Coordinates of all heavy atoms in Angstrom, one line a residue:
C21 N 0.8 -1.2 0.0 CA 0.0 0.0 0.0 C 0.9 1.2 0.0 O 1.8 1.4 0.9 CB -0.9 0.0 1.2 SG -1.9 1.4 1.4
A22 N 0.7 2.1 -0.9 CA 1.5 3.3 -1.1 C 1.1 4.3 0.0 O -0.1 4.5 0.3 CB 1.4 3.9 -2.5
S23 N 2.0 5.0 0.5 CA 1.8 6.0 1.6 C 1.5 7.3 0.9 O 2.1 7.7 -0.1 CB 3.0 6.2 2.4 OG 2.8 7.2 3.3
S24 N 0.5 8.1 1.4 CA 0.2 9.4 0.9 C 1.0 10.5 1.6 O 0.9 11.6 1.2 CB -1.3 9.7 1.1 OG -1.6 9.7 2.5
V25 N 1.9 10.1 2.5 CA 2.7 11.1 3.2 C 3.9 11.4 2.3 O 4.6 10.5 1.8 CB 3.2 10.5 4.6 CG1 4.1 11.5 5.3 CG2 2.0 10.2 5.5
A26 N 4.2 12.7 2.1 CA 5.4 13.0 1.3 C 6.6 12.6 2.0 O 6.8 12.8 3.2 CB 5.3 14.5 1.1
Q27 N 7.5 12.1 1.3 CA 8.8 11.6 1.8 C 9.8 12.8 1.8 O 9.9 13.5 0.8 CB 9.4 10.4 1.0 CG 8.5 9.2 1.1 CD 8.5 8.7 2.5 OE1 9.5 8.6 3.2 NE2 7.3 8.3 2.9
P28 N 10.6 13.0 2.8 CA 11.5 14.1 2.8 C 12.7 13.7 1.8 O 13.0 12.6 1.6 CB 12.1 14.2 4.2 CG 11.8 12.8 4.8 CD 10.5 12.3 4.1
R29 N 13.2 14.7 1.2 CA 14.4 14.5 0.3 C 15.6 14.1 1.1 O 15.8 14.5 2.3 CB 14.7 15.8 -0.5 CG 13.7 16.2 -1.4 CD 14.1 17.4 -2.2 NE 14.4 18.5 -1.3 CZ 15.2 19.5 -1.7 NH1 15.7 19.6 -2.9 NH2 15.4 20.4 -0.8
S30 N 16.4 13.2 0.6 CA 17.5 12.7 1.3 C 18.6 13.9 1.4 O 18.5 14.8 0.7 CB 18.2 11.6 0.5 OG 18.7 12.0 -0.7
L31 N 19.5 13.7 2.4 CA 20.5 14.7 2.6 C 21.3 14.9 1.3 O 21.6 16.0 0.9 CB 21.4 14.3 3.8 CG 22.6 15.2 4.0 CD1 22.1 16.6 4.3 CD2 23.5 14.6 5.1
S32 N 21.7 13.8 0.7 CA 22.5 13.9 -0.5 C 21.8 14.6 -1.6 O 22.4 15.4 -2.4 CB 23.0 12.5 -1.0 OG 22.0 11.7 -1.4
R33 N 20.5 14.4 -1.7 CA 19.7 15.1 -2.8 C 19.6 16.6 -2.5 O 19.7 17.5 -3.3 CB 18.3 14.5 -2.9 CG 17.6 14.9 -4.1 CD 16.4 14.0 -4.3 NE 16.1 14.2 -5.7 CZ 15.8 13.2 -6.5 NH1 15.8 12.0 -6.1 NH2 15.5 13.5 -7.7
R34 N 19.4 17.0 -1.2 CA 19.4 18.4 -0.8 C 20.7 19.0 -1.1 O 20.8 20.2 -1.5 CB 19.0 18.5 0.7 CG 17.5 18.2 0.9 CD 17.1 18.6 2.3 NE 17.9 18.3 3.4 CZ 17.8 17.2 4.2 NH1 16.9 16.3 4.0 NH2 18.7 17.0 5.2
M35 N 21.8 18.3 -0.7 CA 23.2 18.9 -1.0 C 23.4 19.1 -2.5 O 23.9 20.1 -2.9 CB 24.2 17.9 -0.4 CG 24.3 17.9 1.1 SD 25.4 16.7 1.8 CE 27.0 17.3 1.1
A36 N 23.0 18.1 -3.3 CA 23.1 18.2 -4.7 C 22.3 19.4 -5.3 O 22.8 20.2 -6.1 CB 22.7 17.0 -5.4
D37 N 21.1 19.6 -4.8 CA 20.3 20.7 -5.2 C 20.9 22.0 -4.8 O 20.9 23.0 -5.6 CB 18.9 20.6 -4.6 CG 18.0 19.5 -5.2 OD1 18.4 18.9 -6.2 OD2 17.0 19.2 -4.6
S38 N 21.5 22.1 -3.6 CA 22.2 23.4 -3.2 C 23.4 23.6 -4.0 O 23.6 24.8 -4.4 CB 22.6 23.2 -1.7 OG 21.4 23.2 -0.9
L39 N 24.2 22.6 -4.3 CA 25.3 22.8 -5.2 C 24.9 23.3 -6.6 O 25.5 24.2 -7.1 CB 26.1 21.5 -5.2 CG 27.4 21.5 -6.1 CD1 28.4 22.6 -5.7 CD2 28.1 20.1 -6.1
A40 N 23.9 22.6 -7.1 CA 23.5 23.0 -8.5 C 23.0 24.5 -8.4 O 23.3 25.3 -9.4 CB 22.3 22.1 -8.9
Q41 N 22.3 24.9 -7.4 CA 21.8 26.3 -7.3 C 22.9 27.2 -7.2 O 22.9 28.3 -7.9 CB 20.8 26.4 -6.1 CG 20.2 27.8 -6.0 CD 19.2 27.8 -4.8 OE1 19.4 27.1 -3.9 NE2 18.3 28.7 -5.0
R42 N 23.9 26.9 -6.4 CA 25.1 27.8 -6.3 C 25.8 27.9 -7.6 O 26.2 29.0 -8.0 CB 26.0 27.2 -5.2 CG 27.3 28.0 -5.0 CD 28.1 27.4 -3.9 NE 29.4 28.1 -3.8 CZ 30.3 27.8 -2.9 NH1 30.1 26.8 -2.1 NH2 31.4 28.5 -2.9
I43 N 26.0 26.8 -8.3 CA 26.7 26.9 -9.6 C 25.9 27.7 -10.6 O 26.4 28.5 -11.3 CB 27.0 25.5 -10.1 CG1 28.0 24.8 -9.2 CG2 27.5 25.5 -11.6 CD1 29.4 25.4 -9.1
Q44 N 24.6 27.5 -10.7 CA 23.7 28.2 -11.6 C 23.7 29.7 -11.3 O 23.6 30.5 -12.3 CB 22.3 27.6 -11.6 CG 22.2 26.3 -12.3 CD 20.9 25.6 -12.2 OE1 20.2 25.7 -11.1 NE2 20.5 24.9 -13.2
Q45 N 23.8 30.1 -10.1 CA 23.9 31.5 -9.8 C 25.1 32.1 -10.3 O 25.1 33.3 -10.7 CB 23.7 31.7 -8.3 CG 22.3 31.5 -7.8 CD 22.2 31.5 -6.3 OE1 23.2 31.6 -5.6 NE2 20.9 31.6 -5.8
S46 N 26.3 31.4 -10.2 CA 27.5 32.0 -10.6 C 27.8 31.9 -12.1 O 28.5 32.7 -12.7 CB 28.7 31.4 -9.8 OG 28.8 30.0 -10.1
E47 N 27.2 30.8 -12.7 CA 27.4 30.6 -14.2 C 26.1 30.2 -14.8 O 25.8 29.0 -15.1 CB 28.4 29.4 -14.4 CG 29.8 29.6 -13.7 CD 30.5 30.8 -14.4 OE1 30.2 31.3 -15.5 OE2 31.5 31.3 -13.7
P48 N 25.2 31.2 -14.9 CA 23.8 30.8 -15.3 C 23.6 30.2 -16.7 O 22.7 29.5 -16.9 CB 23.0 32.1 -15.2 CG 24.1 33.2 -15.2 CD 25.3 32.6 -14.7
R49 N 24.5 30.5 -17.7 CA 24.3 30.0 -19.0 C 25.4 29.2 -19.6 O 25.2 28.7 -20.7 CB 24.0 31.3 -19.9 CG 22.6 31.9 -19.6 CD 22.3 33.0 -20.5 NE 21.0 33.6 -20.1 CZ 20.8 34.5 -19.2 NH1 21.9 35.0 -18.5 NH2 19.6 35.0 -19.0
D50 N 26.5 29.1 -19.0 CA 27.7 28.5 -19.6 C 27.9 27.1 -19.0 O 28.4 26.9 -17.9 CB 28.9 29.3 -19.3 CG 30.1 28.9 -20.1 OD1 30.3 27.7 -20.4 OD2 31.0 29.8 -20.4
V51 N 27.4 26.1 -19.7 CA 27.5 24.7 -19.3 C 28.9 24.3 -19.0 O 29.2 23.6 -18.0 CB 26.8 23.7 -20.3 CG1 27.0 22.3 -19.9 CG2 25.3 24.0 -20.4
E52 N 29.8 24.7 -19.8 CA 31.2 24.3 -19.7 C 31.8 24.8 -18.3 O 32.4 24.1 -17.6 CB 32.0 24.9 -20.8 CG 33.4 24.3 -21.1 CD 33.3 22.9 -21.6 OE1 32.4 22.5 -22.3 OE2 34.2 22.2 -21.3
R53 N 31.4 26.1 -18.0 CA 31.9 26.6 -16.7 C 31.1 26.0 -15.5 O 31.7 25.8 -14.4 CB 31.7 28.1 -16.7 CG 32.7 28.9 -17.5 CD 32.5 30.3 -17.5 NE 33.7 31.0 -17.9 CZ 34.0 32.3 -17.7 NH1 33.1 33.0 -17.0 NH2 35.1 32.8 -18.1
Q54 N 29.9 25.6 -15.7 CA 29.1 24.9 -14.7 C 29.8 23.6 -14.3 O 30.0 23.3 -13.2 CB 27.7 24.7 -15.1 CG 26.9 25.9 -15.2 CD 25.5 25.7 -15.7 OE1 25.2 24.6 -16.3 NE2 24.6 26.7 -15.6
V55 N 30.2 22.9 -15.4 CA 30.9 21.6 -15.2 C 32.2 21.8 -14.4 O 32.4 21.1 -13.4 CB 31.1 20.9 -16.5 CG1 32.1 19.7 -16.4 CG2 29.8 20.4 -17.1
R56 N 32.9 22.7 -14.8 CA 34.2 23.0 -14.1 C 34.0 23.5 -12.7 O 34.7 23.1 -11.8 CB 35.0 24.0 -14.9 CG 35.6 23.4 -16.1 CD 36.3 24.4 -17.0 NE 36.7 23.6 -18.2 CZ 37.4 24.1 -19.1 NH1 38.0 25.3 -19.0 NH2 37.7 23.4 -20.2
G57 N 32.9 24.2 -12.5 CA 32.6 24.7 -11.1 C 32.2 23.5 -10.2 O 32.6 23.5 -9.0
V58 N 31.4 22.6 -10.7 CA 31.0 21.4 -9.9 C 32.2 20.6 -9.5 O 32.4 20.2 -8.4 CB 30.0 20.6 -10.7 CG1 29.8 19.2 -9.9 CG2 28.7 21.3 -10.8
Y59 N 33.1 20.4 -10.5 CA 34.3 19.6 -10.2 C 35.2 20.4 -9.1 O 35.7 19.8 -8.2 CB 35.2 19.4 -11.4 CG 34.8 18.0 -12.1 CD1 33.7 17.9 -12.9 CD2 35.6 16.9 -11.8 CE1 33.4 16.7 -13.5 CE2 35.2 15.7 -12.4 CZ 34.1 15.6 -13.2 OH 33.8 14.4 -13.8
R60 N 35.3 21.7 -9.3 CA 36.2 22.5 -8.4 C 35.6 22.4 -7.0 O 36.4 22.2 -6.0 CB 36.3 23.9 -8.9 CG 37.2 24.8 -8.1 CD 37.3 26.2 -8.7 NE 36.0 26.9 -8.7 CZ 35.3 27.2 -9.8 NH1 35.7 26.8 -11.0 NH2 34.1 27.8 -9.7
L61 N 34.3 22.6 -6.8 CA 33.7 22.6 -5.5 C 33.6 21.2 -4.9 O 33.8 21.1 -3.7 CB 32.4 23.3 -5.5 CG 32.4 24.8 -5.8 CD1 31.0 25.4 -5.9 CD2 33.1 25.5 -4.7
A62 N 33.2 20.3 -5.7 CA 33.0 18.9 -5.1 C 34.3 18.1 -4.9 O 34.4 17.4 -3.9 CB 32.0 18.2 -6.0
L63 N 35.1 18.2 -5.9 CA 36.3 17.3 -5.9 C 37.6 18.1 -5.8 O 38.7 17.5 -5.7 CB 36.4 16.5 -7.2 CG 35.1 15.6 -7.4 CD1 35.3 14.8 -8.7 CD2 34.8 14.7 -6.3
Q64 N 37.6 19.4 -5.7 CA 38.8 20.2 -5.6 C 39.8 20.0 -6.7 O 41.0 20.1 -6.4 CB 39.4 20.0 -4.2 CG 38.5 20.3 -3.0 CD 38.2 21.8 -2.9 OE1 39.0 22.6 -2.8 NE2 36.9 22.1 -3.1
R65 N 39.3 19.8 -7.9 CA 40.2 19.7 -9.0 C 39.4 20.0 -10.3 O 38.2 20.1 -10.3 CB 40.8 18.3 -9.1 CG 39.7 17.2 -9.4 CD 40.4 15.8 -9.6 NE 39.5 14.8 -9.9 CZ 38.9 14.5 -11.0 NH1 39.2 15.2 -12.1 NH2 38.1 13.4 -11.2
S66 N 40.1 20.1 -11.4 CA 39.5 20.3 -12.7 C 39.2 18.9 -13.3 O 39.9 18.0 -13.0 CB 40.4 21.0 -13.7 OG 40.7 22.3 -13.2
P67 N 38.1 18.9 -14.1 CA 37.9 17.6 -14.8 C 38.9 17.3 -15.9 O 39.4 18.2 -16.5 CB 36.5 17.8 -15.4 CG 36.4 19.3 -15.6 CD 37.2 19.9 -14.5
S68 N 39.1 16.0 -16.2 CA 39.9 15.7 -17.4 C 39.1 16.0 -18.6 O 37.9 16.2 -18.5 CB 40.3 14.2 -17.3 OG 39.1 13.4 -17.5
D69 N 39.7 15.9 -19.7 CA 38.9 16.2 -21.0 C 37.8 15.2 -21.1 O 36.7 15.6 -21.5 CB 39.8 16.1 -22.2 CG 40.8 17.3 -22.3 OD1 40.5 18.3 -21.6 OD2 41.8 17.2 -23.0
V70 N 38.0 13.9 -20.9 CA 37.0 12.9 -21.0 C 35.9 13.1 -20.0 O 34.7 13.0 -20.3 CB 37.6 11.5 -20.8 CG1 36.5 10.4 -20.7 CG2 38.6 11.1 -21.9
E71 N 36.2 13.5 -18.7 CA 35.2 13.8 -17.7 C 34.4 15.0 -18.1 O 33.2 15.0 -17.9 CB 35.9 14.0 -16.4 CG 36.5 12.8 -15.7 CD 37.4 13.1 -14.5 OE1 38.0 14.2 -14.5 OE2 37.4 12.2 -13.6
R72 N 35.1 16.0 -18.6 CA 34.4 17.3 -19.0 C 33.4 17.0 -20.1 O 32.2 17.5 -20.0 CB 35.4 18.3 -19.4 CG 34.9 19.6 -19.7 CD 36.0 20.6 -20.2 NE 36.9 20.1 -21.2 CZ 36.6 19.9 -22.5 NH1 35.5 20.2 -22.9 NH2 37.6 19.4 -23.3
I73 N 33.7 16.2 -21.1 CA 32.8 16.0 -22.2 C 31.6 15.1 -21.7 O 30.5 15.5 -22.0 CB 33.6 15.2 -23.3 CG1 34.6 16.2 -24.0 CG2 32.6 14.7 -24.3 CD1 35.6 15.5 -24.9
A74 N 31.9 14.1 -20.9 CA 30.8 13.3 -20.3 C 29.9 14.1 -19.4 O 28.7 14.0 -19.5 CB 31.4 12.1 -19.6
A75 N 30.5 14.9 -18.6 CA 29.7 15.8 -17.7 C 28.8 16.8 -18.4 O 27.7 17.0 -18.1 CB 30.6 16.5 -16.7
R76 N 29.4 17.4 -19.5 CA 28.6 18.3 -20.3 C 27.4 17.6 -20.9 O 26.3 18.2 -20.9 CB 29.5 18.9 -21.3 CG 28.8 20.1 -22.1 CD 29.7 20.7 -23.2 NE 30.0 19.7 -24.2 CZ 31.2 19.5 -24.7 NH1 32.2 20.2 -24.3 NH2 31.4 18.6 -25.6
E77 N 27.6 16.4 -21.4 CA 26.5 15.7 -22.0 C 25.5 15.3 -21.0 O 24.3 15.4 -21.3 CB 27.1 14.4 -22.7 CG 27.9 14.7 -24.0 CD 28.5 13.4 -24.5 OE1 28.2 12.3 -24.0 OE2 29.2 13.5 -25.5
L78 N 25.9 15.0 -19.8 CA 24.9 14.7 -18.7 C 24.1 15.9 -18.4 O 22.9 15.8 -18.3 CB 25.7 14.2 -17.5 CG 24.8 13.8 -16.3 CD1 23.9 12.6 -16.6 CD2 25.7 13.6 -15.0
V79 N 24.8 17.1 -18.3 CA 24.0 18.3 -18.0 C 23.1 18.6 -19.1 O 21.9 19.0 -18.8 CB 25.0 19.5 -17.7 CG1 24.3 20.8 -17.6 CG2 25.8 19.2 -16.4
E80 N 23.5 18.5 -20.3 CA 22.6 18.8 -21.4 C 21.4 17.9 -21.5 O 20.4 18.3 -21.9 CB 23.4 18.8 -22.7 CG 24.4 20.0 -22.8 CD 25.4 19.9 -24.0 OE1 25.5 18.8 -24.6 OE2 26.1 20.9 -24.2
Q81 N 21.6 16.7 -21.1 CA 20.5 15.7 -21.2 C 19.6 15.7 -20.0 O 18.4 15.5 -20.1 CB 21.1 14.3 -21.5 CG 21.7 14.1 -22.9 CD 22.3 12.8 -23.0 OE1 22.2 11.9 -22.2 NE2 23.1 12.6 -24.1
H82 N 20.2 15.8 -18.8 CA 19.5 15.6 -17.6 C 19.5 16.8 -16.6 O 18.9 16.7 -15.5 CB 20.0 14.3 -16.9 CG 19.8 13.1 -17.7 ND1 18.6 12.5 -17.9 CD2 20.8 12.4 -18.4 CE1 18.8 11.5 -18.7 NE2 20.1 11.4 -19.0
G83 N 20.3 17.8 -16.9 CA 20.3 19.0 -16.0 C 21.5 19.0 -15.1 O 22.1 17.9 -14.8
L84 N 21.8 20.1 -14.5 CA 22.9 20.3 -13.6 C 22.8 19.5 -12.3 O 23.7 19.0 -11.8 CB 23.1 21.8 -13.3 CG 24.4 22.2 -12.5 CD1 25.6 21.7 -13.2 CD2 24.4 23.7 -12.3
R85 N 21.5 19.4 -11.8 CA 21.3 18.6 -10.6 C 21.8 17.2 -10.7 O 22.3 16.6 -9.8 CB 19.9 18.7 -10.2 CG 19.4 20.0 -9.7 CD 18.0 20.0 -9.3 NE 17.6 21.3 -8.8 CZ 16.4 21.7 -8.7 NH1 15.4 20.9 -9.1 NH2 16.1 22.9 -8.3
A86 N 21.6 16.6 -11.9 CA 22.0 15.2 -12.1 C 23.5 15.1 -12.0 O 24.1 14.1 -11.4 CB 21.6 14.7 -13.5
L87 N 24.3 16.1 -12.5 CA 25.7 16.0 -12.4 C 26.1 16.2 -10.9 O 27.0 15.5 -10.5 CB 26.4 17.1 -13.3 CG 27.9 17.3 -13.1 CD1 28.6 16.0 -13.5 CD2 28.4 18.5 -13.9
C88 N 25.5 17.1 -10.3 CA 25.8 17.3 -8.8 C 25.5 16.1 -8.0 O 26.4 15.7 -7.2 CB 25.0 18.5 -8.3 SG 25.5 20.1 -9.0
R89 N 24.4 15.4 -8.3 CA 24.1 14.2 -7.5 C 25.2 13.1 -7.8 O 25.7 12.4 -6.9 CB 22.8 13.6 -7.9 CG 21.6 14.3 -7.2 CD 20.3 13.6 -7.3 NE 19.9 13.3 -8.7 CZ 19.2 14.2 -9.4 NH1 18.8 15.3 -8.9 NH2 18.8 13.9 -10.6
A90 N 25.6 13.0 -9.1 CA 26.7 12.1 -9.5 C 28.0 12.4 -8.8 O 28.6 11.5 -8.2 CB 26.8 12.0 -11.0
M91 N 28.3 13.6 -8.7 CA 29.6 14.0 -8.1 C 29.6 13.7 -6.6 O 30.5 13.2 -6.0 CB 29.9 15.5 -8.3 CG 30.3 15.9 -9.7 SD 31.9 15.2 -10.2 CE 31.3 13.9 -11.2
L92 N 28.5 14.1 -5.9 CA 28.4 13.9 -4.5 C 28.2 12.4 -4.1 O 28.4 12.1 -2.9 CB 27.2 14.7 -3.9 CG 27.4 16.2 -4.1 CD1 26.2 17.0 -3.5 CD2 28.7 16.7 -3.4
N93 N 27.9 11.6 -5.0 CA 27.8 10.1 -4.8 C 29.0 9.4 -5.4 O 29.0 8.1 -5.3 CB 26.5 9.6 -5.3 CG 25.3 10.0 -4.5 OD1 25.3 9.7 -3.3 ND2 24.4 10.7 -5.1
S94 N 30.0 10.1 -5.9 CA 31.1 9.4 -6.5 C 32.1 8.9 -5.4 O 32.1 9.4 -4.3 CB 31.9 10.4 -7.4 OG 32.5 11.4 -6.6
N95 N 32.8 7.8 -5.8 CA 33.8 7.3 -4.8 C 34.8 8.3 -4.5 O 35.3 8.4 -3.3 CB 34.5 6.1 -5.5 CG 33.6 4.8 -5.4 OD1 32.7 4.7 -4.6 ND2 33.9 3.9 -6.3
E96 N 35.2 9.1 -5.4 CA 36.2 10.2 -5.2 C 35.8 11.2 -4.1 O 36.5 11.6 -3.3 CB 36.6 10.9 -6.5 CG 37.7 11.9 -6.4 CD 38.1 12.5 -7.7 OE1 37.7 12.0 -8.7 OE2 38.9 13.4 -7.6
F97 N 34.5 11.5 -4.1 CA 34.0 12.5 -3.2 C 33.8 11.8 -1.8 O 34.1 12.4 -0.8 CB 32.6 13.0 -3.6 CG 32.0 14.0 -2.6 CD1 32.5 15.3 -2.6 CD2 31.0 13.6 -1.8 CE1 31.9 16.2 -1.7 CE2 30.5 14.5 -0.9 CZ 30.9 15.8 -0.8
L98 N 33.4 10.5 -1.8 CA 33.1 9.9 -0.5 C 34.3 9.2 0.2 O 34.2 8.9 1.3 CB 32.0 8.8 -0.8 CG 30.7 9.3 -1.3 CD1 29.8 8.2 -1.7 CD2 30.0 10.1 -0.2
T99 N 35.4 9.0 -0.5 CA 36.5 8.3 0.0 C 37.6 9.3 0.5 O 38.0 10.2 -0.2 CB 37.1 7.4 -1.0 OG1 36.1 6.5 -1.5 CG2 38.3 6.6 -0.5
I100 N 38.1 9.1 1.7 CA 39.2 9.9 2.2 C 40.5 9.3 1.8 O 40.7 8.1 1.9 CB 39.1 9.9 3.8 CG1 37.8 10.6 4.2 CG2 40.3 10.7 4.3 CD1 37.6 10.5 5.7
Q101 N 41.3 10.1 1.2 CA 42.6 9.7 0.8 C 43.7 10.2 1.6 O 43.7 11.3 2.1 CB 42.9 10.0 -0.7 CG 41.9 9.3 -1.6 CD 42.2 9.6 -3.0 OE1 43.0 10.4 -3.4 NE2 41.5 8.9 -3.9

């Protein structure tokens, strides 16, 4: 039986939404700069050329929030080195 009570968004989803909003405010129309901004803030580095192209395609197809969720759920973000 499905519940009619709204489920709260997960912490990671809220963080991804906040990151996407922050990036969109600083780079509202430039997908390339948005991608670099997400990498800089989430992973403290620039994306490789392959990562940049894949990330740009993801943003163009699914939006900046999808990239932010992917970054915040990546092994590189979650693992302490």
Side-chain angles (χ1 to χ4, degrees):
C21 176
S23 173
S24 62
V25 176
Q27 296 296 316
R29 292 183 305 158
S30 69
L31 175 61
S32 64
R33 194 168 199 131
R34 288 192 314 265
M35 289 175 61
D37 290 347
S38 293
L39 178 57
Q41 184 177 28
R42 179 176 175 182
I43 295 295
Q44 285 174 326
Q45 287 175 347
S46 65
E47 302 296 343
R49 292 182 179 87
D50 191 331
V51 173
E52 201 67 33
R53 286 181 162 198
Q54 289 175 349
V55 166
R56 290 178 184 186
V58 170
Y59 268 82
R60 185 179 60 252
L61 289 174
L63 303 180
Q64 300 296 299
R65 67 174 179 83
S66 297
S68 70
D69 290 340
V70 171
E71 290 170 329
R72 183 180 47 76
I73 291 166
R76 186 180 65 225
E77 289 175 4
L78 179 67
V79 171
E80 290 170 350
Q81 292 175 9
H82 301 285
L84 186 59
R85 287 181 183 162
L87 175 61
C88 293
R89 280 194 304 271
M91 288 294 104
L92 296 179
N93 286 302
S94 69
N95 283 339
E96 186 172 349
F97 180 78
L98 296 172
T99 304
I100 297 173
Q101 294 183 355

